[in-house]
Amino acid sequence: MRFFLSLALLVLLPLAAFGAQPRAETEAAFQRWLATTVRTDAAAKGVSQTTMDRAFAGLKLDWTLPELAPPGQPRTREEPQRQAEFRGPAPYFEEGKMRALVQGGRTRFTTWSRTLAEVETRYGVPPSIIVAIWGRESGYGAARLRYSAIQALATEAFMGTRKDHFYPQFIDALVILEGDHVPLSEFKSSWAGALGQPQFLPSVYLSTAVDFDRTGRRDIWKSVPDVLGSIANYLKQNGWQAGTGWGFEVQVPATVSCTLEGPDQGKPLSAWIEMGVRNPDGTPIKARSQKQVMHLLMPAGRFGPAFLVTDNFYVLKTYNESDLYALFIGHLADRIRGNAAPFSGRWADVGGFDRGDVRAMQQRLEARGVDVGSADGLVGYKTRIAVGSWQEENGRAATCFPDTALLRAIR
């Protein structure tokens, strides 16, 4: 489940791109929408007129947000091309940033050790994983949330390019206000309405956030115990298996095809060992449960480190639907605990292609009945498998990761 969005990847048009008259007309239509559609739907979910009056007082559209499609106006962003998938994974794991998060995480690990122990007892999630997500999402609470959640969600719900996604989140934000968990003045979010230090969407807050410090409010903006407990509860609800790690780096011999990657091709650890998979330094894998089902993960195909991961890795992916994100969390957690150094494998200089080129390749493969996951222009594991399978079918060494020439050659 992908519910956390990066701000840095968006290209905005200046406010002047929108004429004054169309803005005025759109603002008037926005007020009518609030007074009719929104009030009706919010009331049906138990939101009082008093809460809505308070939330809508002086509320206007935020024309600086990305992903807008105002009536009669151009979209306010270009399609992002600069995700890690297009630049290569290496910058995602830049060591200077990682070291800072490790240091900050170890400090919080010690400061909040008692609370983290209580959270682990209740939810079965290791403290290091909880702290790693906290660090990644909000810099351990240091990141400033600049947006009014109500304004951001209302704007995107009314004139965003993904209204169907944002509208129920906007209604849920009003439900949160009705519950009096946070004052309106402190109800801050990302531009996409991700709330508080864990960056939960409103629907996730309602189903997952907990009052771990027992103050009567689920305060994921200021209460560290509530933040830690809520992150752990989210992972537990999504299937985290207590007593099982996320995975570890390995060395994969050339005799093992990179097309064996993914959550649908798991094997007992003993089977991977028999195939020649070893520790990164080439030594045999020992002192682990040989019956544990593990999955091959190669985020850059043969152009980067390889890993064996458990089902818990895919639980981490529900927090942010990205292999690199889940890998970052697992690796950061290991280093916070002092159990890991930087990856032994090195990321090659890959990427640099256009998202449109990836999508076109995916569409060609889909036309042949190949499962690429989704023709979304992203190089996910199913697309990596499809690339590797095409390479093997055409007598090439499988790398399971494209370059610009390969994207155009695959038919």
Side-chain angles (χ1 to χ4, degrees), residues 57-80:
L59 182 61
K60 294 183 179 180
L61 294 166
D62 184 347
W63 293 80
T64 70
L65 296 184
E67 295 197 354
L68 299 184
Q73 298 293 331
R75 291 174 59 165
T76 62
R77 75 170 182 121
E78 299 173 1
E79 187 172 39

Side-chain angles (χ1 to χ4, degrees), residues 60-142:
K60 294 183 179 180
L61 294 166
D62 184 347
W63 293 80
T64 70
L65 296 184
E67 295 197 354
L68 299 184
Q73 298 293 331
R75 291 174 59 165
T76 62
R77 75 170 182 121
E78 299 173 1
E79 187 172 39
Q81 299 286 347
R82 297 177 57 185
Q83 289 95 328
E85 285 83 353
F86 305 110
R87 296 179 290 123
Y92 203 93
F93 298 93
E94 195 275 316
E95 183 58 22
K97 296 177 182 177
M98 178 67 74
R99 278 198 301 266
L101 283 172
V102 170
Q103 182 178 358
R106 288 176 179 171
T107 299
R108 273 74 175 187
F109 197 94
T110 300
T111 302
W112 294 99
S113 59
R114 179 175 296 181
T115 299
L116 286 164
E118 294 173 356
V119 169
E120 182 177 21
T121 297
R122 182 178 302 182
Y123 300 108
V125 181
S128 57
I129 290 288
I130 300 168
V131 173
I133 291 176
W134 184 25
R136 176 66 185 178
E137 293 300 329
S138 64
Y140 309 110

